[in-house]
C-alpha cells in the first residue's frame, strides 16, 4: 500500500485506489472487510491485515454522509499494540517517532508540527497525523481528508 502526497490517494491491494472521493459503496466490496455500523453519523469499516510502509497494519475507514472522512492505520505488530495498557509513555513516544520517521521517508518531507504525542503533515487535500494516544494506549497514523 502506498500514499500519494500530492493527492492523498492510497493504493491498496494491486488495483484498488482509495481517495477523498471514495464512496462507502466502493469500500463495501473489498475483501476481508468488517463493518462496525453507524455511530453518531459516522460509519466505520475495517480490514485487519494490510501492509503499509512495510508494516502489518489494521486500516479503519470512517465515512460521513457516505464519503470517506478519515483513514486510521494501526501497526498491529508494534510494541504499543502488543503491550496494550501495559505500554509506557516512553513506548508510546518511541513508536510515534518511528511511525513518523517512516511517513517522512515515504513522502520525503518532515512533519510541519511535532509534539511529544503527535506529528502533523499538512497538505492541500488534508492531513496525515501520527498519534500516540495515552488514553487508549495506542499509536496510529490518521489520514484526514478536508
Amino acid at each position: 500500500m502506498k500514499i500519494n502526497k500530492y493527492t492523498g490517494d492510497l493504493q491498496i491491494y494491486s488495483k484498488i485506489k482509495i481517495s477523498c472521493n471514495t464512496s462507502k459503496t466502493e469500500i463495501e466490496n473489498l475483501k476481508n472487510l468488517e463493518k462496525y455500523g453507524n455511530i453518531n453519523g459516522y460509519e466505520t469499516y475495517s480490514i485487519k491485515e494490510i501492509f503499509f510502509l512495510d508494516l502489518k497494519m489494521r486500516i479503519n475507514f470512517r465515512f460521513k454522509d457516505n464519503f470517506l472522512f478519515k483513514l486510521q492505520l494501526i501497526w498491529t505488530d508494534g510494541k504499543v499494540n502488543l503491550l496494550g495498557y501495559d505500554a509506557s509513555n516512553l513506548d508510546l513516544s518511541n513508536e510515534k517517532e518511528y511511525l513518523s520517521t517512516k511517513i517522512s521517508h515515504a513522502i520525503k518531507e518532515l512533519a510541519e508540527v511535532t509534539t511529544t504525542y503527535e506529528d502533523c503533515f499538512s497538505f492541500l487535500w488534508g492531513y496525515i497525523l501520527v498519534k500516540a494516544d495515552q488514553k487508549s494506549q495506542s499509536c496510529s497514523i490518521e489520514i484526514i481528508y478536508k
Side-chain angles (χ1 to χ4, degrees), residues 22-24 38 41-43 62-69:
T22 299
S23 71
K24 182 177 67 170
N38 189 321
Y42 291 89
E43 288 190 72
R62 295 232 168 79
F63 288 86
K64 177 74 173 168
D65 300 324
N66 293 321
F67 285 95
L68 191 58
F69 166 70

Side-chain angles (χ1 to χ4, degrees), residues 4 6-7 9 15-16 24 27 30 38 51-52 55 64 66 68 70 77 88 90-91 109 112 115 123 133 144:
N4 180 325
Y6 301 107
T7 63
D9 296 351
K15 299 178 183 175
I16 301 167
K24 182 177 67 170
I27 294 295
L30 293 177
N38 189 321
F51 284 87
F52 181 64
L55 303 171
K64 177 74 173 168
N66 293 321
L68 191 58
K70 176 168 74 169
D77 289 340
S88 69
L90 182 60
D91 294 331
E109 65 181 73
E112 187 176 317
T115 68
F123 306 94
D133 185 345
I144 302 170

